[in-house]
Amino acid sequence: MAKDNRQRLGRAEARDKLLRAAARVFLEKGRGATVEDIAAEAEYSASALYKHFSNKDDLFRCLWHRVFTEMIEVFTNEPPMDLPFVGRLKWTLYSIAEFAENDRDLFLAAMANSPIAESPMTLDEEFLEKHHQMRDAFNQLMSRGIEEGVLRDYDPATLAMAMGGSLQALTGHWALEGPFPLKPHMDDLIELFMNGAAKKPED
Amino acid sequence: MAKDNRQRLGRAEARDKLLRAAARVFLEKGRGATVEDIAAEAEYSASALYKHFSNKDDLFRCLWHRVFTEMIEVFTNEPPMDLPFVGRLKWTLYSIAEFAENDRDLFLAAMANSPIAESPMTLDEEFLEKHHQMRDAFNQLMSRGIEEGVLRDYDPATLAMAMGGSLQALTGHWALEGPFPLKPHMDDLIELFMNGAAKKPED
Amino acid sequence: MAKDNRQRLGRAEARDKLLRAAARVFLEKGRGATVEDIAAEAEYSASALYKHFSNKDDLFRCLWHRVFTEMIEVFTNEPPMDLPFVGRLKWTLYSIAEFAENDRDLFLAAMANSPIAESPMTLDEEFLEKHHQMRDAFNQLMSRGIEEGVLRDYDPATLAMAMGGSLQALTGHWALEGPFPLKPHMDDLIELFMNGAAKKPED
Amino acid sequence: MAKDNRQRLGRAEARDKLLRAAARVFLEKGRGATVEDIAAEAEYSASALYKHFSNKDDLFRCLWHRVFTEMIEVFTNEPPMDLPFVGRLKWTLYSIAEFAENDRDLFLAAMANSPIAESPMTLDEEFLEKHHQMRDAFNQLMSRGIEEGVLRDYDPATLAMAMGGSLQALTGHWALEGPFPLKPHMDDLIELFMNGAAKKPED
DNA sequence: AATGAATGAGTATTCATTCAT
DNA sequence: AATGAATGAATACTCATTCAT
């Protein structure tokens, strides 16, 4: 007699709902998040989850896959090459900011799962590779900057480390202290970065 | 009549052995590390562990406590004030390098457990506070630099973010790609940081 | 606009298809066979199965019912009484052979489900009774043989045990080693049964 | 306060207790027997079971292993060669009777798990091999009988089938109708096997 | 007649923890 | 000081079953 509260969604919608729920719950409870927790967050029963993912591991794998795929797209999506270096750097960081702000849960879940975070040794190959791809995209950006004579002749990896690390510290802060506009802070970091990295006339 | 291999260590040694084992196992298996795993790594039985720690949580609490206490000591151990700012910054970073290189397992375990890494919401109060202390120490350092007219008039938090983030990126890299001497890379990062952050004559 | 492949069979055909599928799957996977497995083997969805059987138990009950009913028919279908005893025995065994060879899946499923095979204590009453009926039919056959003075004055149950056991061993072998013509082997068993294994002087 | 009812047995005793319990429960409930059921029957908790067997499958594997190993010992334990053929046959059957009567649970569990019983296709290699060994031992016995001129010149496999099948029918009956002395029935079956069912003129 | 979406009740398995020795 | 034996409370996963379409 009681109204049947079951959702009756298409496969894709249900999958997406579950993945987003997983991200949220993962953020709250870490890897220890229960299948039940996740399903409940998505307003499903635990067993429903198994119609969409073959097991908990698979669920998380799909989550990381999705998130990192989007992240990599942002990172590797070449900025317009007619922009000067700083413009391109800003363009990339702003893309990241947009992704983070639009898809906060997914973005934070991804961050919380960065390689050093969870057991580095047990990382999937696939997973590590994604990280390398992102790092490489950043390195490349720096290399170009050097080639173009805009950046000083540092090891591009060092430059990427400095800029990337700052960025990560910023988003980490943003993760903990609640959402605030990221772009202004990015501008600061870029300026800071450039006024060190930028080739000065007197060099 | 096999010789009895049971360890008969003093309490303190046993405790230390267990804590270090915990750090190592935590690094390998993440939060999923079993009490049994840890005890085995320390060449103890699981039940022995309970003679030294009241439960698993306690064990980890002790681990983080110990690690962060040491870290904070490094961070807050005021460098000789007769050094110029850059000298003090270097002094601090070098101390970190030394700690990391001497106590790799403990250091890495601490990093893997940084606030954004594991579920931020479930962090112990005590734990979060330690993080704030570390951040504050870094902020303070920067504030002094500004006061002394060595650093440009940025928000100290931004400066700390840039330097701290770079540092974290470096140690993250060092964690994944095996041990290599940290100090030279730190020099690079400091130089990079300063040539952006340092007040220039024309400012 | 893909053509709708759904089956639209009459009730009886669908039922039969499902039962045969059940027999096959049961043989492959034993009692652990899933409703889904069975439905899939029959090229139906699991829910379709419930339109034909009220539940899994019912499905299996129907399967055993059907199989044992056919078996019993074979066993109790009186052979022409004008035949001599051996002729009647052969007639019965040949009927069994024909059933087995024509309906291999059903026959094997039935065998695999013989009383000692699956947990004897949980057998349905109905089910056990069928077994008794079959045994009794065999006993009866033997009793007649004795009455007619063709068989020695043994306990009919012992005779039935010997002949029935041999028969079961034969079909068991036939089940495992793939299909081969049963009748010649049956002839051998009958001869052996009648004349014994001991070498006689006149041999 | 309540008395601690925990057993405190040696590893071997506990293992044995669990295996025997498994046999009993298996007989009652078939393969569907719960780990909990089994543990309870052995007066243990379910988790205790996992200290002795890595999982349910392993438990059953060990059970069959043990049972079949004992059975094979009986079957392959050569009877004294100075006995005449019938004496040797009887000797073997009596050994089986003794095993069955002494270790009823284990014996019945083994029978209930004969190859055609549970899904023939999914049988472990190891398991099937044991069955072959038993069959071969019986075949061999028959071959010898033929060589010695005691048995007629039948295919040994046919002879083994007849005798083995009768035996299995007998023990099957014994399983269902409760324990009664096996040996007298075995004598009957042997006599029948040797001399046949047909009434001879001299009877 | 048939199916896809969804669920609840179970079940195997893991793991922190206790306790007698 | 240390351990082996044992357990209870989670938790992942399976599967029969229902129901709206």
Side-chain angles (χ1 to χ4, degrees), chain A residues 121, chain B residues 20 27 99-110 171 173-180:
Chain A
M121 283 51 174
Chain B
R20 289 179 173 280
L27 274 172
F99 175 38
E101 286 170 345
N102 290 336
D103 265 325
R104 190 163 211 264
D105 296 335
L106 295 180
F107 178 78
L108 291 184
T171 50
H173 187 62
W174 179 77
L176 284 174
E177 315 288 323
F180 50 79

Side-chain angles (χ1 to χ4, degrees), chain C residues 26-31 104 108 111-123 128 132 135 146 149-155 158-166 168-173 175-177 185 187-189 191-200 203, chain D residues 26-31 108 111-123 128 132 135 146 149-155 158-166 168-173 175-177 180 185 187-189 191-200 203:
Chain C
F26 177 79
L27 274 172
E28 236 188 90
K29 319 211 174 172
R31 204 87 188 194
R104 192 163 209 263
L108 291 184
M111 285 205 42
N113 202 48
S114 82
I116 21 128
E118 278 284 322
S119 54
M121 282 53 175
T122 52
L123 288 173
L128 254 178
H132 287 331
R135 200 188 56 191
I146 296 167
V150 183
L151 296 183
R152 289 203 281 156
D153 196 20
Y154 268 105
D155 177 4
T158 302
L159 294 170
M161 217 174 254
M163 187 69 252
S166 309
Q168 195 153 346
L170 172 59
T171 50
H173 186 63
L176 283 175
E177 313 288 323
H185 292 268
D187 289 340
D188 286 353
L189 289 178
E191 206 216 302
L192 186 53
F193 173 72
M194 292 305 294
N195 297 328
K199 191 159 202 169
K200 305 290 159 33
D203 283 356
Chain D
F26 177 79
L27 275 172
E28 236 188 272
K29 318 211 174 173
R31 196 100 195 192
L108 290 185
M111 285 206 43
N113 203 48
S114 80
I116 22 131
E118 278 282 322
S119 55
M121 282 53 174
T122 52
L123 289 175
L128 254 177
H132 287 333
R135 200 189 55 191
I146 296 168
V150 183
L151 296 182
R152 289 204 280 155
D153 194 22
Y154 267 103
D155 177 3
T158 302
L159 295 170
M161 216 174 253
M163 185 70 251
S166 309
Q168 194 153 346
L170 171 60
T171 50
H173 187 62
L176 283 175
E177 315 287 324
F180 50 79
H185 292 269
D187 290 339
D188 287 353
L189 288 178
E191 205 217 302
L192 185 53
F193 173 71
M194 291 304 294
N195 297 327
K199 189 159 203 168
K200 304 290 160 35
D203 283 356

Side-chain angles (χ1 to χ4, degrees), chain D residues 1 5 13 15 75 81 95 118 120-121 128 138 142 144-145 173 178 184:
Chain D
M1 317 305 171
N5 269 329
E13 289 104 307
R15 222 186 121 93
F75 271 81
M81 281 305 284
S95 308
E118 278 282 322
M121 282 53 174
L128 254 177
F138 232 60
M142 296 301 167
R144 290 264 174 75
H173 187 62

Side-chain angles (χ1 to χ4, degrees), chain C residues 65-190:
Chain C
H65 181 81
R66 171 173 171 169
V67 167
F68 285 114
T69 304
E70 289 195 44
M71 289 274 275
I72 283 173
E73 229 156 77
V74 171
F75 270 81
T76 57
N77 188 7
E78 293 272 322
M81 282 305 284
D82 51 343
L83 284 180
F85 172 78
V86 177
R88 273 157 23 223
L89 179 57
K90 192 179 249 186
W91 194 89
T92 300
L93 262 59
Y94 275 27
S95 308
I96 294 173
E98 273 156 27
F99 175 40
E101 285 170 344
N102 290 337
D103 265 325
R104 192 163 209 263
D105 296 335
L106 295 180
F107 178 78
L108 291 184
M111 285 205 42
N113 202 48
S114 82
I116 21 128
E118 278 284 322
S119 54
M121 282 53 175
T122 52
L123 288 173
D124 295 353
E125 285 306 304
E126 182 202 355
F127 188 35
L128 254 178
E129 199 202 338
K130 300 261 178 191
H131 263 280
H132 287 331
Q133 273 180 267
M134 280 167 54
R135 200 188 56 191
D136 292 348
F138 232 59
N139 281 350
Q140 180 108 78
L141 184 65
M142 295 301 168
S143 293
R144 290 264 174 75
I146 296 167
E147 278 164 29
E148 291 170 22
V150 183
L151 296 183
R152 289 203 281 156
D153 196 20
Y154 268 105
D155 177 4
T158 302
L159 294 170
M161 217 174 254
M163 187 69 252
S166 309
L167 180 61
Q168 195 153 346
L170 172 59
T171 50
H173 186 63
W174 179 77
L176 283 175
E177 313 288 323
F180 49 78
L182 280 168
K183 289 178 186 176
H185 292 268
M186 286 177 165
D187 289 340
D188 286 353
L189 289 178
I190 291 172

